[in-house]
Amino acid sequence: MMHVPLGAIERPQPTLLLDLDMPNVALAARPRLRHCTLIEDPSETATTLVVGRDYFKIERTGDRSRFLHLKSLLDGRHDLDQLSSLTGLSLASVSEVVSAFAELGLLQDRQDAPTITAQAFIEQVEDSALMWRRQIELHPLLARLASGDVRREVFIGLLIETYHYVKLLPAVIADLVPTVEDEHTRQVLAHYAEEERLHYLDYEQALSSLDRIGKWISSSHPTVGTLSLVRNFEAVGRRSALSLVCCLQLIEARLFEAPAAEADLRTIAERYDAEALVEPFIQHMKADLDMGHSGILREALKYREAIDADLAHQAVNDMHDVKHCFDVFHDSVLQYYGDISNYIPRPKVDYFAL
Amino acid sequence: MSELTVLVPKGVKVQVQEAADLSRGDSRIPADRNVVIVGSDQLKVAVARVEGAHPKAKASVVLMCG
């Protein structure tokens, strides 16, 4: 065995960090990480960070919880000294991590411009929509359905709640159309709502074939997760047509996503002996792709050269909220349909039920 | 280098991680080092853009298209 004198090993002194061959990146006084998704494999020290369409691998040496604590403070509210004192990490370590993020353009570059070009806005929103769609897919409900460790009612519940959502949302959009000021956007939304209006009937017909519960589908009531999703769309659309269009961009599948999505759904359906039930869901996706629904943002903005920055900020914040509504939607399916004591499908509560 | 012996004060917890390449391509590791010691107040990261295969959810969402 070879003994290595301690003096021959690098000691944990902050000055050593200055030896790192890091580029001279000018750090923001209060660094703020760009909006991202962290994907962590518990068995690895590496973390994947997703920003829009871009993926980054973060290899870490040091304590995981301190790294995540530091990440949680990269919100533009803390300077480097505060980041160091709050995390217990040395100032040199904090500077090094922030420099590494800055070098790859992962810190926010905030500008005061009153407008954003429409083309830049479209591209950014399309990229962020993809990022958030990937994030929605990481919900435990979908992983558990894929591995088959939840009961069949949970999958049926996901189909029922999707039916409610597909039934309710076009009606909400149609109600909002007259409130939209811009004529072209109003036409785009009216056209979209009309094309989506009757899709729910195919879902209803398929689900009506379910043994014993099928006849109660059309009179059933959504879970609160589904209602929250639809009502959030309504609240967003009542405030801003741009926000509504961005949120619709979030929910529409892209052509390149379709094959894997169809295959995954068919695999889950086969596991739960529900192949016929998912057919209208798949046909709906294909029909939407054929009608170009995933290009709704481009279509709505095709005559616009610039977007007011405040409206743009509001729109992406609304998209982010709707993304989290999908997490709640999936939580709700897992909780309600996973409980063996719950009524399926969910009935309305009327006065005489009290 | 196949083995190392590390002496530390009693009570110090030691974690050992293997890195794929200690000599280059990893910004956590200075070019002239072959051992890196990181104390509890230190954090070193290497961030790199990844092309190609990405972590993927176990099932895609087909149901949310409205």
Side-chain angles (χ1 to χ4, degrees), chain A residues 209-224:
Chain A
S209 70
L210 280 165
D211 185 38
R212 192 179 57 79
I213 66 172
K215 62 183 175 183
W216 304 111
I217 295 294
S218 62
S219 60
S220 65
H221 192 58
T223 63
V224 171

Side-chain angles (χ1 to χ4, degrees), chain A residues 36-54:
Chain A
C36 64
T37 301
L38 287 180
I39 305 172
E40 196 172 45
D41 182 339
S43 64
E44 301 274 344
T45 56
T47 301
T48 299
L49 184 143
V50 189
V51 177
R53 287 175 182 258
D54 297 325

Side-chain angles (χ1 to χ4, degrees), chain A residues 80-140:
Chain A
L80 297 185
D81 286 331
Q82 290 170 319
L83 293 171
S84 174
S85 64
L86 288 168
T87 59
L89 290 166
S90 68
L91 185 58
S93 283
V94 169
S95 298
E96 182 191 343
V97 173
V98 172
S99 292
F101 285 146
E103 183 191 0
L104 286 169
L106 296 173
L107 298 183
Q108 295 190 11
D109 177 20
R110 304 190 74 77
Q111 298 169 9
D112 296 330
T115 60
I116 297 165
T117 67
Q119 187 59 32
F121 179 78
I122 290 167
E123 290 172 5
Q124 184 59 67
V125 167
E126 287 181 342
D127 284 357
S128 297
L130 281 177
M131 174 182 68
W132 282 322
R133 288 175 66 81
R134 297 290 82 79
Q135 200 173 342
I136 289 168
E137 292 170 353
L138 293 169
H139 192 280

Side-chain angles (χ1 to χ4, degrees), chain A residues 1-2 4 6 9-10 12 16-17 19-20 45 48 54-61 66 88-90 93 97 104 133 136-137 142 146 158 162 165 192 196 251-252 261 264-265 281 284-285 288 326, chain B residues 1-8 15 17 26-30 32-51 54-66:
Chain A
M1 178 178 292
M2 182 178 67
V4 180
L6 277 177
I9 300 176
E10 185 187 18
L16 291 174
L17 294 170
D19 292 337
L20 288 174
T45 56
T48 299
D54 297 325
Y55 286 69
F56 300 88
K57 185 177 182 183
I58 304 173
E59 299 263 15
R60 167 181 47 78
T61 302
R66 288 196 188 202
L89 290 166
S90 68
S93 283
V97 173
L104 286 169
R133 288 175 66 81
I136 289 168
E137 292 170 353
L142 299 166
L158 179 58
T162 304
Y165 153 65
Y192 177 92
E196 293 286 357
I251 67 174
E252 288 295 338
D264 287 346
L265 185 58
F281 296 74
H284 181 190
M285 175 179 67
D288 282 1
F326 275 101
Chain B
M1 184 181 299
S2 58
E3 289 183 304
L4 287 174
T5 298
V6 180
L7 297 178
V8 296
Q15 296 181 334
Q17 293 176 9
D26 189 332
S27 58
R28 291 174 298 174
I29 301 161
D32 60 345
R33 315 285 183 193
N34 52 28
V35 174
V36 176
I37 297 178
V38 177
S40 60
D41 70 336
Q42 289 186 293
L43 182 66
K44 292 173 183 284
V45 296
V47 187
R49 186 181 294 272
V50 180
E51 308 289 349
H54 303 134
K56 177 179 177 298
K58 290 181 179 171
S60 306
V61 174
V62 69
L63 307 173
M64 56 188 280
C65 61

